[in-house]
């Protein structure tokens, strides 16, 4: 059956679908598959216990059934939006009201709305793109536009650091913002690299966005104040020209599909209209479960005292294992500044990173090939074929066995 242009675009192979299929296979495959691909957060016992208690209370009080039996409005559950506004106003001088906040079915859903609102075909035959000022960037952005050719990305500056580490920075000299750019978007911390844009970089990007009359989208799925998987001291950022996206997923509720958008009221209004058409309303379960945590600010203590230390420790353990076992000096790790991933760079890798992914998959290890994470980068760049992303959030034993398989493959390749 012939599909529409839209249908063809959304039924073709996409990196994010392959990734989610692999993730599902990994989850279903039990012990046979070592799942260091995907973006699934860890099952942290303290968080799971607390979530179980909260759900039991909701069940006992009848609020769970109440939430399940009612639609919310297209902007999302009002009680949760109000509680979020209070929380953010207590923490920062952002002066938010309920008109600045909306909920979506996961933040992935918000990016689809945003990229199609701010990029694509405009009147008088004009076309606008979404600019990623620092590639590599999140794989999930890659196909989230109904228009072809909707993204443009800029290569980073690379600084080699001590102890086999490196870091990407925005190359402001290469960043060109013409009239064909509808918005800029960065993830902070970045999936896949664990990079955290510095305060100076964010301030500079904000200034450029304002000068060019476009919004700056900051994807804070891993950032502060929750889940706070961020290991650098940086300042949270928002103003009227910023669209800040958060999520309950990496706090431990990916199945609840709850994204949070903070923006000026005009953007929230536009996005709520989209939400009404596409989804009627976002799901209410995640907001209902998290509501007491936001009201009491327990979401902050759990993030600071449980989630952040949990991931920090795991990231350091994974770095130690990798550096002990991979012997080539061509191996570098991006400085782990946040998120759930390590970004590994194998300089002059004798095969492509995708071929490496296939060889590892055949041995029962799933990682993600780095080439997916350069949406919008038009230039050929060997670096895009030399990196992989490893999720270190899984059980220690799984990470250890996975790293042993990876190290054996890499050491053989460089022999
Ligand atoms: N942004 C980033 C950087 C991510 O890594 C993810 C998921 O892995 C998302 C957004 C989307 O997450 P969700 O839709 O679960 O909120």
């Amino acid at each position: 059956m012939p599909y529409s242009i839209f249908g063809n675009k959304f039924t073709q192979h996409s990196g994010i679908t392959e990734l989610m299929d692999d993730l599902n296979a990994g989850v279903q495959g039990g012990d046979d598959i070592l799942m260091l691909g995907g973006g699934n957060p860890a099952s942290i016992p303290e968080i799971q216990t607390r979530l179980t208690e909260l759900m039991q209370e909701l069940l006992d009080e009848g609020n769970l059934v109440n939430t399940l039996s009612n639609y919310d409005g297209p902007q999302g559950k009002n009680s949760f939006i109000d509680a979020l506004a209070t929380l953010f106003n207590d923490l920062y001088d952002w002066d938010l009201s309920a008109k600045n906040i909306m909920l979506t079915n996961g933040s992935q859903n918000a990016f689809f709305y945003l990229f199609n609102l701010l990029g694509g075909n405009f009147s008088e035959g004009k076309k606008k793109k979404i600019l990623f000022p620092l590639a590599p960037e999140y794989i999930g952005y890659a196909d989230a536009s109904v228009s072809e050719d909707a993204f443009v990305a800029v290569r980073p500056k690379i600084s080699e650091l001590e102890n086999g580490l490196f870091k990407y920075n925005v190359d402001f000299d290469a960043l060109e913002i013409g009239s064909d750019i509808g918005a800029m978007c960065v993830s902070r911390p970045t999936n896949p690299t664990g990079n955290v844009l510095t305060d100076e970089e964010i301030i500079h990007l904000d200034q450029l966005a304002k000068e060019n009359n476009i919004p700056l989208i900051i994807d804070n799925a891993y950032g502060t104040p929750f889940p706070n998987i961020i290991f650098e001291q940086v300042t949270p950022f928002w103003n009227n020209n910023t669209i800040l996206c958060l999520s309950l997923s990496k706090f431990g509720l990916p199945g609840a599909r709850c994204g949070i958008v903070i923006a000026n009221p005009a953007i929230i209004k536009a996005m709520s209209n989209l939400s009404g058409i596409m989804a009627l309303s976002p799901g209410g379960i995640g907001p209902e479960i998290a509501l007491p945590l936001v009201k009491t600010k327990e979401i902050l203590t759990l993030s600071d005292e449980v989630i952040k230390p949990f991931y920090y420790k795991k990231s350091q353990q994974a770095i130690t294992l990798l550096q002990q076992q991979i012997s080539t000096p061509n191996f570098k790790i991006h400085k782990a500044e946040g998120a759930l991933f390590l970004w590994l760079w194998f300089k002059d890798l004798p095969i492509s990173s995708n071929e490496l992914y296939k060889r590892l998959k055949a041995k029962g290890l799933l990682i993600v090939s780095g080439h997916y994470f350069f949406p919008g980068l038009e230039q050929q760049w060997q670096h895009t074929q030399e990196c992989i992303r490893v999720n270190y959030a899984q059980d220690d034993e799984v990470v250890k066995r996975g790293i042993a398989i990876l190290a054996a493959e890499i050491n053989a390749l460089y022999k």
Side-chain angles (χ1 to χ4, degrees), residues 85 88-90 92-97 100 238 240:
F88 284 109
N89 287 337
D90 285 351
Y92 319 121
D93 56 358
W94 293 354
D95 197 18
L96 302 178
S97 79
N100 294 107
W238 184 83
N240 237 8

Side-chain angles (χ1 to χ4, degrees), residues 16 19-20 23 38-41 104-111 137-141 186-192 219-222 245-250 253-260 339-341 373 389:
I16 192 71
L19 180 67
M20 293 312 285
L23 196 156
N40 216 75
T104 53
N105 289 314
S107 58
Q108 183 69 21
N109 183 206
F111 293 108
E137 212 13 301
Y138 171 46
I139 187 175
Y141 301 151
V186 290
S187 57
R188 186 195 201 215
T190 308
N191 172 1
D219 177 353
N220 197 35
Y222 302 88
C245 300
L246 296 99
S247 170
L248 292 184
S249 295
K250 314 300 171 177
L253 286 168
R257 312 303 304 124
C258 177
I260 300 160
L340 327 171
F341 313 103
F373 296 92
R389 190 192 78 177

Side-chain angles (χ1 to χ4, degrees), residues 229-248:
I229 312 174
I230 182 162
F231 314 137
E232 295 292 300
Q233 273 303 331
V234 290
T235 316
F237 190 90
W238 184 83
N239 63 40
N240 237 8
N241 196 47
T242 318
I243 304 175
L244 185 65
C245 300
L246 296 99
S247 170
L248 292 184

